[in-house]
Amino acid sequence: PPPGPPRPARAGKMKRPRFISKFGWEGDGGIGEKLIQQIQHGIKTATACPKLLYTAQELKELHASVGKIVTVVDKRDQPRAQIKQLEIFETPFGNPDLRLVKGEGCSEPGQWRRKHRHVWDDLFEKAGKTLDNDTILVVELFMRWPPIAGHN
């Protein structure tokens, strides 16, 4: 599955981060690790997921993370980086906001759409839905935390 929304961490004996965002899943072909490395280097500053794949509670938690520090974890739930959540907004797949396009390392919307056209195929199939140009995406804009000198 795609990165999930930051979610409150479970209570435990050790102090756990309030919000976490998971990148990667079993059988992801290494994409989760690649994305985490891009975050660690301040290259990746945005991510998105179709809104229909979120629950109402997940959306509420995602919006609550704006302005907060979020711990990025890998597919084994190991902390790998921290980000500061800057903004959450919606954009259509067919005409993605340029902040998403640039934050995902693409030069123009067409390139971004080609790279993401089949990212969520398995999840859409499970949901009995199809991706089209009108599909609404929930976008997260963030920055690596602490900031890297020269990266804004």
Side-chain angles (χ1 to χ4, degrees):
R7 60 188 192 276
R10 291 185 201 107
K13 292 182 182 183
M14 293 179 58
K15 183 174 178 164
R16 304 228 344 142
R18 169 77 172 107
F19 296 100
I20 60 172
S21 186
K22 189 172 192 170
F23 284 80
W25 60 94
E26 291 305 320
D28 69 5
I31 189 70
E33 183 60 30
K34 179 181 176 185
L35 296 175
I36 289 170
Q37 288 178 11
Q38 290 174 347
I39 292 167
Q40 290 171 333
H41 291 97
I43 298 165
K44 182 175 177 63
T45 59
T47 196
C49 182
K51 185 175 182 177
L52 64 91
L53 299 177
Y54 287 94
T55 66
Q57 182 62 34
E58 287 170 336
L59 286 170
K60 181 179 176 184
E61 291 167 0
L62 182 61
H63 284 279
S65 73
V66 174
K68 307 287 194 277
I69 304 303
V70 176
T71 299
V72 173
V73 299
D74 62 22
K75 62 185 168 188
R76 290 177 281 289
D77 293 325
Q78 296 301 304
R80 301 289 301 284
Q82 288 187 312
I83 56 176
K84 183 173 185 179
Q85 195 76 279
L86 302 175
E87 188 175 353
I88 306 298
F89 61 91
E90 296 178 6
T91 192
F93 179 83
N95 188 24
D97 187 290
L98 287 178
R99 295 172 293 169
L100 169 61
V101 172
K102 300 292 184 189
E104 293 250 33
C106 295
S107 59
E108 53 89 23
Q111 178 191 22
W112 184 89
R113 281 191 304 275
R114 286 187 299 277
K115 285 178 69 173
H116 290 81
R117 173 71 56 194
H118 298 287
V119 169
W120 306 290
D121 282 353
D122 58 333
L123 299 173
F124 273 96
E125 186 176 328
K126 279 185 196 175
K129 305 283 185 181
T130 56
L131 176 67
D132 61 35
N133 285 339
D134 295 327
T135 299
I136 298 298
L137 305 174
V138 176
V139 178
E140 300 174 49
L141 296 183
F142 54 83
M143 62 183 289
R144 195 197 93 154
W145 197 260
I148 300 172
H151 287 261
N152 295 342

